Amino acid sequence: MLFLRLIIHKKIKNYITTVKRRCDNMEIMKIAVLGAGAMGSLFGSLLSVKNDVYLVDVNRELICRISEKGVKVNEKDGTSAVFHPTALTDSSTVGKADLVIVFVKSMFSVQALENNASLIGSDTYLMTLQNGAGHEAELLRFADEDHVVIGSTQHNSSVVSTGEINHGGSGSTSIGLVKGDSSVLSVIAENFTSCGIDCTVSSNVLKQIWNKMFTNTAASSLTALFQMPLGFIVENAYAHSLMKALVSEAVTVANGLGLGFDENDVLNDVENVCRNAKNGYTSIYADIRDGRRTEVDTISGSVIAAAEKKGIDVPYHRFIVNAIHALESRLQPVQGGEAK
């Protein structure tokens, strides 16, 4: 029995030593997050626990607030914490970053990268976790294919007030290179995971990006159009019919790209998201409500772009894009609930 205890004790000691060595050797990265909105502030905050993080935004009031008091992150369980990433409007003195994460709205990606080009060196990875597809084309203007990272995350966040966000939900984050062996990203994935962002490297990250985009293009777009929460999309028969048509078109296009989705499975997933967050308001809903430009061109618009390449007709998506742009042109914000 004594011999057995000694063996067990030695194994436990070796395990603890191994874990400690992995933590001690965890590479501290210099990370720049472009955009201090809801998602940028969330990732910038969580990653700042174990990294040298710079949160960059053109909003001086927001940056001053974060510099003085940090970012307050409220969790669903009622707890909250304050994080202190370095907040900047000018990144010119930071030097080259190991990783630059783009979290600005898609229409501002190029401008943000141009304004912060001093962060980008030959070894810098550029990452987009923005909603929609096709963002890599813009990042490739600033880095080689083997340094451009695309991905998808199930985390969501919303702004409560200046410097305060609600972390509405979490889940997996998946990343992969545009071209090359994505396994080189394992160091980044391990770093993210150690900071509470469960992250994996995928050789087929494009499929996961489309999997997330189904909800955005088939349900979120309709919340903007009708100025109603997600639950309305499954509870109202007319809205539900439109959502099903959008799912069908998007799946047809995705499968035309060789991604192999089952339409019924996708429909069930989108319906479950709407039911589980029935009182939730989406960011595109809030954009229309507040009279801001939306990212519809990189969400529903990316379905249209892919459809055109494959010769697939997507009339419902064309209607959605035109309708959202029509709403964007309105001068007066829509009255409604708070974005979730």
Side-chain angles (χ1 to χ4, degrees), residues 285-301:
Y285 158 93
D287 288 338
I288 292 299
R289 179 198 65 194
D290 298 335
R292 295 190 297 262
R293 289 175 61 191
T294 73
E295 297 179 291
V296 69
D297 287 331
T298 51
I299 300 175
S300 300

Side-chain angles (χ1 to χ4, degrees), residues 58-186:
V58 296
N59 186 330
R60 292 187 178 277
E61 179 187 358
L62 174 59
I63 291 302
C64 287
R65 169 63 174 75
I66 295 173
S67 295
E68 292 174 2
K69 298 184 178 180
V71 179
K72 184 179 180 182
V73 179
N74 303 317
E75 299 292 345
K76 290 177 67 177
D77 62 5
T79 62
S80 63
V82 177
F83 300 85
H84 295 275
T86 301
L88 301 169
T89 56
D90 181 2
S91 64
S92 60
T93 61
V94 172
K96 306 305 180 188
D98 298 311
L99 173 66
V100 175
I101 309 175
V102 182
F103 263 127
V104 296
K105 283 183 178 279
S106 58
M107 64 284 272
F108 303 125
S109 295
V110 171
Q111 182 181 352
L113 288 165
E114 287 177 343
N115 291 344
N116 297 280
S118 61
L119 294 167
I120 305 169
S122 58
D123 296 324
T124 302
Y125 285 99
L126 300 187
M127 177 186 292
T128 171
L129 295 172
Q130 297 157 293
N131 286 331
H135 304 292
E136 63 273 16
E138 295 173 336
L139 271 62
L140 284 167
R141 295 171 57 176
F142 300 88
D144 297 331
E145 290 178 322
D146 57 354
H147 281 83
V148 171
V149 185
I150 58 176
S152 175
T153 183
Q154 293 179 333
H155 285 269
N156 64 74
S157 178
S158 61
V159 174
V160 178
S161 60
T162 304
E164 181 178 359
I165 59 174
N166 281 340
H167 186 189
S170 58
S172 62
T173 297
S174 192
I175 59 175
L177 285 175
V178 168
K179 184 177 181 180
D181 183 4
S182 293
S183 65
V184 299
L185 302 178
S186 60

Side-chain angles (χ1 to χ4, degrees), residues 29-49:
M29 301 179 66
K30 181 188 284 189
I31 301 174
V33 179
L34 306 185
M39 290 299 291
S41 288
L42 176 66
F43 272 68
S45 294
L46 296 179
L47 291 173
S48 70
V49 174

